[in-house]
Short mmCIF file of all heavy atoms in Angstrom, two decimals:
data_model
loop_
_atom_site.label_atom_id
_atom_site.label_comp_id
_atom_site.label_asym_id
_atom_site.label_seq_id
_atom_site.Cartn_x
_atom_site.Cartn_y
_atom_site.Cartn_z
N THR A 2 21.79 4.25 108.99
CA THR A 2 21.07 4.73 107.81
C THR A 2 21.33 3.85 106.59
O THR A 2 22.38 3.25 106.44
CB THR A 2 21.49 6.17 107.48
OG1 THR A 2 20.74 6.62 106.35
CG2 THR A 2 22.96 6.28 107.13
N GLY A 7 25.72 8.48 102.10
CA GLY A 7 26.13 9.05 103.38
C GLY A 7 25.00 9.87 103.98
O GLY A 7 23.87 9.87 103.51
N ALA A 8 25.31 10.59 105.04
CA ALA A 8 24.29 11.35 105.74
C ALA A 8 24.91 12.51 106.50
O ALA A 8 26.08 12.47 106.90
CB ALA A 8 23.52 10.44 106.72
N GLY A 9 24.11 13.54 106.67
CA GLY A 9 24.41 14.61 107.61
C GLY A 9 23.55 14.42 108.84
O GLY A 9 22.75 13.48 108.92
N ARG A 10 23.68 15.33 109.81
CA ARG A 10 22.88 15.17 111.02
C ARG A 10 22.75 16.50 111.74
O ARG A 10 23.54 17.43 111.55
CB ARG A 10 23.49 14.12 111.94
CG ARG A 10 25.01 14.21 112.20
CD ARG A 10 25.39 15.15 113.28
NE ARG A 10 26.75 14.90 113.80
CZ ARG A 10 27.36 15.67 114.67
NH1 ARG A 10 26.79 16.79 115.08
NH2 ARG A 10 28.57 15.37 115.11
N LEU A 42 19.82 13.06 109.41
CA LEU A 42 19.40 12.34 110.61
C LEU A 42 19.27 13.28 111.80
O LEU A 42 19.98 14.29 111.89
CB LEU A 42 20.40 11.23 110.95
CG LEU A 42 20.77 10.26 109.82
CD1 LEU A 42 21.80 9.25 110.32
CD2 LEU A 42 19.53 9.56 109.29
N ARG A 44 19.72 13.32 115.91
CA ARG A 44 20.29 12.63 117.07
C ARG A 44 19.99 13.46 118.31
O ARG A 44 20.32 14.65 118.36
CB ARG A 44 21.80 12.47 116.89
CG ARG A 44 22.45 11.76 118.06
CD ARG A 44 23.85 11.34 117.71
NE ARG A 44 24.84 12.37 117.79
CZ ARG A 44 25.84 12.54 116.93
NH1 ARG A 44 25.94 11.76 115.88
NH2 ARG A 44 26.73 13.49 117.10
N ASP A 202 28.62 7.65 117.53
CA ASP A 202 27.31 7.81 116.90
C ASP A 202 27.42 8.11 115.41
O ASP A 202 26.67 7.56 114.60
CB ASP A 202 26.54 8.94 117.57
CG ASP A 202 26.02 8.57 118.94
OD1 ASP A 202 25.94 7.36 119.23
OD2 ASP A 202 25.71 9.48 119.72
N ASP A 203 28.32 9.01 115.04
CA ASP A 203 28.46 9.36 113.62
C ASP A 203 28.82 8.13 112.80
O ASP A 203 28.25 7.90 111.72
CB ASP A 203 29.52 10.45 113.44
CG ASP A 203 29.03 11.82 113.85
OD1 ASP A 203 27.80 12.02 113.96
OD2 ASP A 203 29.87 12.71 114.08
N ALA A 204 29.75 7.33 113.31
CA ALA A 204 30.16 6.14 112.56
C ALA A 204 29.03 5.13 112.47
O ALA A 204 28.77 4.55 111.41
CB ALA A 204 31.39 5.52 113.23
N PHE A 205 28.33 4.90 113.57
CA PHE A 205 27.27 3.89 113.60
C PHE A 205 26.13 4.24 112.66
O PHE A 205 25.54 3.36 112.02
CB PHE A 205 26.75 3.73 115.03
CG PHE A 205 25.58 2.80 115.13
CD1 PHE A 205 25.73 1.43 114.92
CD2 PHE A 205 24.31 3.28 115.43
CE1 PHE A 205 24.64 0.57 114.99
CE2 PHE A 205 23.22 2.43 115.51
CZ PHE A 205 23.39 1.06 115.30
N THR A 206 25.78 5.51 112.57
CA THR A 206 24.64 5.92 111.74
C THR A 206 25.03 6.32 110.32
O THR A 206 24.20 6.78 109.55
CB THR A 206 23.89 7.09 112.41
OG1 THR A 206 24.80 8.16 112.70
CG2 THR A 206 23.23 6.63 113.69
N GLY A 207 26.30 6.16 109.96
CA GLY A 207 26.73 6.46 108.60
C GLY A 207 26.85 7.93 108.29
O GLY A 207 26.81 8.33 107.12
N VAL A 208 26.99 8.76 109.33
CA VAL A 208 27.15 10.19 109.11
C VAL A 208 28.56 10.47 108.60
O VAL A 208 29.55 10.17 109.27
CB VAL A 208 26.89 10.97 110.42
CG1 VAL A 208 27.36 12.42 110.30
CG2 VAL A 208 25.42 10.92 110.78
N ASP A 209 28.64 11.02 107.41
CA ASP A 209 29.95 11.35 106.85
C ASP A 209 30.08 12.85 106.56
O ASP A 209 31.03 13.28 105.92
CB ASP A 209 30.22 10.55 105.57
CG ASP A 209 29.28 10.91 104.43
OD1 ASP A 209 28.25 11.57 104.68
OD2 ASP A 209 29.58 10.53 103.28
N GLN A 210 29.13 13.63 107.07
CA GLN A 210 29.19 15.08 106.92
C GLN A 210 28.67 15.71 108.23
O GLN A 210 27.53 15.47 108.62
CB GLN A 210 28.32 15.55 105.75
CG GLN A 210 28.35 17.06 105.54
CD GLN A 210 27.29 17.50 104.53
OE1 GLN A 210 26.09 17.41 104.80
NE2 GLN A 210 27.74 17.95 103.37
N VAL A 211 29.52 16.50 108.86
CA VAL A 211 29.16 17.16 110.11
C VAL A 211 29.13 18.67 109.86
O VAL A 211 30.16 19.28 109.56
CB VAL A 211 30.15 16.83 111.24
CG1 VAL A 211 29.86 17.67 112.48
CG2 VAL A 211 30.08 15.34 111.58
N PRO A 234 35.61 5.80 110.38
CA PRO A 234 35.79 6.81 109.34
C PRO A 234 35.66 8.22 109.90
O PRO A 234 34.92 8.46 110.86
CB PRO A 234 34.65 6.51 108.35
CG PRO A 234 33.63 5.76 109.15
CD PRO A 234 34.40 4.98 110.17
N VAL A 235 36.38 9.16 109.30
CA VAL A 235 36.33 10.55 109.69
C VAL A 235 35.39 11.30 108.76
O VAL A 235 35.58 11.25 107.54
CB VAL A 235 37.74 11.20 109.65
CG1 VAL A 235 37.67 12.68 110.01
CG2 VAL A 235 38.69 10.47 110.61
N PRO A 236 34.38 11.97 109.27
CA PRO A 236 33.45 12.70 108.39
C PRO A 236 34.09 13.96 107.85
O PRO A 236 35.13 14.43 108.33
CB PRO A 236 32.29 13.04 109.32
CG PRO A 236 32.90 13.11 110.69
CD PRO A 236 34.00 12.08 110.69
N SER A 237 33.46 14.55 106.84
CA SER A 237 33.84 15.89 106.41
C SER A 237 33.21 16.89 107.37
O SER A 237 32.20 16.59 108.03
CB SER A 237 33.36 16.15 104.98
OG SER A 237 31.95 16.15 104.92
#
Side-chain angles (χ1 to χ4, degrees):
T2 182
R10 47 85 161 173
L42 308 179
R44 180 166 80 220
D202 286 341
D203 284 342
F205 175 69
T206 54
V208 167
D209 66 346
Q210 181 190 68
V211 173
V235 177
S237 65

